Amino acid sequence: MKDFLPVIRSSQLFSGISEEEIVAMLSCLKAEKKEFQKEDFVLRTGDTAEAIGLVLSGSVLIMQEDIWGNRNILSKAGPGQTFAAAFACAPGSVLNVSVMAEMPVTVMFLNVKHILTVCPSACARHSRIIRNLLGELAEKNLRFSEKLTHMGQRSTRAKLMSYFSAEVQRHGKYEFDIPFSRQQLADYLGVERSGLSVELGKMRKEGLLDFHKSHFILKV
C-alpha cells in the first residue's frame, strides 16, 4: 500500500491527515487492496457492501443495467475517489448499481464499521475521517441531483447544454475536459450515441462550442 500513499492522501476521505497517520490508520481500518482487469465487475447489482472502495489506479464506472443490457452511467471514479460509500454506510442494503473496471484498476477497500466506530482514545484523525466521509457523501448526493437535472431536459441538446453549463461552473472556465467517452456521455445523459454525436456536430457548426475527443471549449 506504501506505493499508493500519495494517491490515498490526495483523496477527500483522507484530507487533512498526514502520511504517517494514514499508515497507522490503514491497519486499524482493515484496508484490503485488490486488482481487477478491464470490464471486470468490482461489485454487482444485488451484492451487499460492507466496505468503501477507494480507487488507487485506473478508473471504475458506477452504472445501472436493465435485463436487456441498456446501460445508465451514474458516475465515474478515478484515483483518489471512492465508490459504494452510501451502501456500505446503510447496513444490510443491497446494491442497485454495478461497479465495473473501465480499465485495469487497483482498489483499496475499507471496512466501514471500523471507520464509523471511533477508537477508545477518540483520536482526532479518526474523527477527521468521519467528517470527511460525511462531506463526500453530501457531495455525491449533490452530483446525483445534478445528473437528474440534466436528464430531466426534454431534448438531447438541452441535456448537453445543462451538462456543459454545470461543468463550466465546476471548472470556473469555458474550456475543460470531461471524464467520459462519447458512449459513456450518451449513457450518462440517457440518450442514443448517434443522436448525441449529431447534436454535437450541429452545435459546433453553429459556433456554440468546439471539441476534440473529451476536451471541450464553449463559446458564449
Side-chain angles (χ1 to χ4, degrees), residues 2-42:
K2 184 177 180 181
D3 293 341
F4 295 105
L5 277 177
V7 176
I8 297 171
R9 191 181 180 191
S10 72
S11 70
Q12 184 177 346
L13 189 62
F14 287 93
S15 176
I17 303 174
S18 69
E19 286 193 7
E20 292 76 12
E21 290 174 322
I22 290 172
V23 170
M25 293 186 74
L26 291 183
S27 176
C28 174
L29 297 175
K30 306 296 182 185
E32 183 181 8
K33 185 179 71 173
K34 291 186 178 181
E35 296 181 353
F36 301 88
Q37 297 304 309
K38 182 179 179 179
E39 297 187 352
D40 282 352
F41 280 94
V42 180

Side-chain angles (χ1 to χ4, degrees), residues 4-15 52-60 76-83 105-108 110 132 136 139-140:
F4 295 105
L5 277 177
V7 176
I8 297 171
R9 191 181 180 191
S10 72
S11 70
Q12 184 177 346
L13 189 62
F14 287 93
S15 176
I52 295 172
L54 191 154
V55 179
L56 299 177
S57 67
S59 59
V60 299
K76 179 177 178 177
Q81 297 179 317
T82 63
F83 59 88
V105 65
T106 303
V107 175
M108 179 175 70
L110 301 165
N132 290 344
E136 192 161 6
E139 184 177 323
K140 289 181 183 295

Side-chain angles (χ1 to χ4, degrees), residues 101-155:
E102 184 186 21
M103 60 186 70
V105 65
T106 303
V107 175
M108 179 175 70
F109 290 98
L110 301 165
N111 190 296
V112 73
K113 290 181 180 179
H114 294 282
I115 293 177
L116 298 179
T117 303
V118 180
C119 52
S121 60
C123 62
R125 66 192 181 207
H126 204 135
S127 299
R128 181 61 185 249
I129 199 173
I130 292 174
R131 292 197 302 271
N132 290 344
L133 176 59
L134 288 173
E136 192 161 6
L137 287 172
E139 184 177 323
K140 289 181 183 295
N141 186 52
L142 292 172
R143 285 292 188 95
F144 184 66
S145 296
E146 192 176 86
K147 172 180 164 63
L148 292 179
T149 298
H150 305 330
M151 293 189 67
Q153 305 302 312
R154 291 182 178 274
S155 66

